[in-house]
């Protein structure tokens, strides 16, 4: 299969963002503002925070600012897997927060139910499908662990190779565990845009092209400095600057440099990549089955994730997790030909019956990775500022929960959520350069070796496991 031919005409625009449904740009903030709550960041976390703030108090003045456009970063580039898990899987939660892991699992299920309810309540057109996810084994050694997790009463169903072939047809599959209840699929950009519609209808002021440059304490309020970043401003030096005086501030900038220096080392930006095919014909769909339309992910350290879209395209992403020295984030890294070629090769190995299919889009983007693989929280200036970050690729669903937590923190009250160890405890920070780059490189190589050694983890990974630190996308 000539993967270069399959990739030849693929657009470099993320598929989800490449549509006429994209809202018209909103103007930047060019005048000083006072508000009860300022939300910084127009991705999932910021949007859910703004929505819940208005639901709690419809009269609360809420302003949201976004440096670029709503949903343009990770929230509009991901696979659209909306998972209940808040801890990147039950086992990872058990490793980091064993005393409250069961409680977090229940909170995650409640959070996913709340997302589904909000989609229905506000009539959001986001292509929501609660079809679950298949964790597939592509190596014999992976099957036993999946079989042990079989628990139909809890919605986890083990499928052997023959049973799985009746659901999705791939010569690479050895078996699977179907998580039938705790994963939904969405069109991520539509979710951003529909959340934008809803919060504006509820009275939230939203400004795009408005970058926050500083956050400082002003005794009873918080002073936030902004600068217009719209492309229409040719001379950055003369770009309008404004001051927002806010009673409370929620920081939802995630992968971008933290506005709170105390947690500037707690995340690293890791680049993830994905392909999108052209729509499959009825004959091609029949060749692979997949009538249940579940999301799919495989079990290796370097894994793939894939799913169907509403028009029966296949999104196929993952594998490489690329870190750039100095925690650099740049549009220049959104394209990586060698990764796209590898993904295309793996796609046709997974579905050889789709030989000749073309890819219409290829893109990448950064993920905010932390050492425990799930979100963390902090507050500042007497709990007038709250921050959430570190979702490590699990933010589609967990972002709403993060908004709930931040609003609780900003309330100044002790709640069920603010008392969680997950909320009170920070993950271990990553070291500064050059140690960060070297450590991530060594860890990546160790993960590759573990995959080649039937999942057995070597000395470095065992040490990292023991101290509660890791690297993942």
């Amino acid at each position: 299969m000539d993967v270069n031919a399959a990739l030849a005409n693929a657009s470099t625009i993320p598929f989800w963002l490449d549509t006429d449904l994209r809202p018209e740009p909103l103007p930047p903030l060019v005048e000083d503002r006072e508000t009860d709550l300022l939300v910084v960041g127009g991705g999932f976390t910021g949007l859910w925070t703004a929505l819940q703030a208005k639901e709690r108090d419809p009269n609360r003045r809420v302003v949201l600012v976004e440096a670029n456009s709503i949903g343009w970063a990770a929230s509009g580039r991901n696979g659209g897997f909306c998972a209940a898990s808040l801890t990147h899987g039950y086992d990872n939660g058990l490793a980091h927060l064993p005393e409250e892991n069961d409680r977090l699992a229940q909170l995650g299920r409640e959070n996913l139910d709340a997302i589904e309810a909000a989609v229905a309540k506000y009539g959001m057109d986001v292509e929501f499908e609660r079809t679950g996810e298949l964790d597939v084994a592509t190596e014999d050694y992976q099957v036993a662990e999946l079989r042990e997790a079989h628990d139909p009463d809890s919605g986890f169903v083990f499928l052997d190779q023959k049973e799985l072939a009746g659901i999705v047809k791939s010569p690479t599959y050895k078996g699977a565990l179907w998580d039938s209840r705790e994963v939904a699929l969405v069109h991520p950009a539509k979710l951003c845009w529909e959340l934008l519609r809803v919060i504006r209808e509820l009275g939230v002021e939203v400004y795009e092209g408005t970058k926050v440059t500083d956050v400082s304490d002003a005794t009873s309020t918080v002073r936030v400095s902004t600068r217009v970043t719209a492309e229409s401003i040719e001379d950055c030096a003369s770009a309008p600057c404004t001051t927002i005086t806010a009673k409370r501030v929620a920081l939802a900038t995630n992968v971008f440099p933290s506005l709170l220096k105390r947690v500037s080392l707690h995340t690293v930006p890791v680049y993830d990549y994905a392909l999108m095919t052209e729509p499959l014909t009825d004959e091609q769909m029949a060749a692979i089955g997949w009538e249940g339309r579940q999301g799919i992910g495989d079990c290796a350290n370097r894994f793939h994730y894939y799913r169907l879209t509403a028009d029966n395209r296949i999104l196929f992403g993952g594998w490489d997790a690329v870190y750039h020295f100095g925690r650099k984030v740049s549009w220049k890294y959104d394209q990586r030909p060698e990764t796209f070629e590898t993904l295309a090769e793996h796609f046709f190995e997974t579905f050889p019956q789709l030989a000749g299919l073309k890819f219409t889009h290829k893109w990448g983007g950064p993920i905010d990775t932390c050492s425990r693989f799930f979100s963390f929280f902090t507050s500042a200036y007497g709990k007038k500022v709250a921050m959430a970050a570190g979702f490590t690729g699990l933010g589609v669903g967990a972002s709403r929960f993060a908004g709930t937590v931040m609003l609780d923190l900003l309330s100044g009250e002790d709640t069920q959520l603010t008392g969680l160890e997950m909320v009170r405890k920070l993950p271990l920070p990553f070291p500064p350069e050059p140690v960060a780059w070297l450590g991530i490189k060594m860890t990546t190589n160790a993960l590759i070796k573990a995959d080649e050694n039937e999942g057995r983890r070597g000395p470095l990974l065992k040490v990292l496991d023991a101290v509660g630190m890791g690297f993942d996308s």
Side-chain angles (χ1 to χ4, degrees), residues 178-221:
W178 178 28
D179 177 354
S180 64
R181 302 176 186 171
E182 298 191 4
V183 179
L185 300 176
V186 298
H187 185 305
K190 280 188 175 182
L191 180 54
C192 289
W193 299 333
E194 285 287 74
L195 284 168
L196 172 64
R197 171 184 64 81
V198 172
I199 65 173
R200 294 186 73 200
E201 289 174 354
L202 294 176
V204 177
E205 296 181 39
V206 181
Y207 300 94
E208 295 183 323
T210 304
K211 181 178 181 179
V212 170
T213 57
D214 184 67
V215 177
S216 60
D217 193 7
T219 310
S220 62
T221 59

Side-chain angles (χ1 to χ4, degrees), residues 237-296:
S238 63
C241 296
T242 62
T243 298
I244 303 173
T245 302
K247 293 179 180 177
R248 298 290 185 270
V249 177
L251 300 178
T253 55
N254 296 326
V255 76
F256 298 99
S258 173
L259 290 161
L260 297 179
K261 290 184 179 180
R262 70 179 69 174
V263 288
S264 61
L265 295 179
H266 283 73
T267 62
V268 292
V270 176
Y271 275 77
D272 180 57
Y273 297 90
L275 302 174
M276 187 70 83
T277 72
E278 61 190 344
L280 274 63
T281 65
D282 291 344
E283 292 77 15
Q284 289 169 325
M285 285 297 301
I288 62 173
W290 211 349
E291 294 178 2
R293 301 182 61 81
Q294 301 92 339
I296 300 178

